[in-house]
Amino acid sequence: MEHLIDKYLKKPEYIKELFNKEVSISLKVDGAAFQISYDKKNDSITYHKRSGSSKSLGPIIDEYTQLMRKNINDAIEYFDNKKDILKQYKFYAIEIFNNSYILLTVIDNDNNIIDNVSKLKEISKSLNIDCVPILFNDKLNKEQIDSLLEIMSLDPKTNNDTYKEYLTNIFGKGEYQKFLNGNEVEGIVLTWNNDKIEQLTSDIMAEFDKLKESDTFKKTTEFLNDISGKINDFFD
């Protein structure tokens, strides 16, 4: 949420425009995250520390970590019994939270993020674990937007119960509330449709491939200026 606040302070109109698009909002719980990977070629399951990217794996969890962290060891034992189900997808991000497990994200065999809420709930049900708590998955109305912007303007030291009250007032009561009872609110995660960003990335890579095939680097400045213009146009 702090990244969104920084962007809002620098460019509030951009954030307001984002809030007028369809958005998925999930609760960020304060737990211990790890990843599970299925290697189809070797037909093997491995467990990893969480990486900084939703599409990349962190380091493999070693035996020392398992020995020193009972919650990780217990989790590995649990999911070792779910291998037939885990083989359906490339890898999973799991959160250990209050002696239970929450499915955060799933990457399919084509390296795509499965972001359909119903599908995520279906996968979590097959693993007999919780699904990432979804607060909202639609287009926000003006009242909700104003309330979210108000949260972003609150003092970081604001009482945790105040944040919980805000969330309930904005999104109403739902399944997500069981994760709030007696727990700290670490934050909320907002996800927008990335089609436009992916198209921008595709355009950049296409231009880069053309540059690599040229016999000279004289076009470099022109290339960088063109890309800079595309990025500025995207965020304007």
Side-chain angles (χ1 to χ4, degrees), residues 1 6 8 73 85 91 100 122 126 128 135 163 207:
M1 192 73 176
D6 289 341
Y8 175 66
N73 187 63
I85 300 171
F91 69 83
S100 63
E122 179 186 319
S126 70
N128 198 26
L135 288 78
Y163 285 111
E207 292 294 332

Side-chain angles (χ1 to χ4, degrees), residues 1 135 143-155 158-173 176-177 180 185 188:
M1 192 73 176
L135 288 78
E143 185 178 347
Q144 290 170 322
I145 293 172
D146 290 342
S147 296
L148 280 174
L149 293 176
E150 189 173 346
I151 287 180
M152 291 165 62
S153 66
L154 290 175
D155 188 314
T158 299
N159 185 281
N160 189 62
D161 289 335
T162 301
Y163 285 111
K164 292 179 182 180
E165 185 178 342
Y166 263 97
L167 294 178
T168 302
N169 289 338
I170 297 171
F171 304 111
K173 295 182 179 180
Y176 72 90
Q177 287 191 298
L180 295 179
V185 176
I188 56 176

Side-chain angles (χ1 to χ4, degrees), residues 1 5 7 29 32 104 113-114 132 139 145 192 212 218 225:
M1 192 73 176
I5 293 172
K7 191 73 178 176
V29 297
L104 301 179
I113 298 175
I114 296 177
V132 57
K139 190 173 180 179
I145 293 172
W192 284 273
K212 287 192 295 184
K218 289 182 180 180
N225 287 338

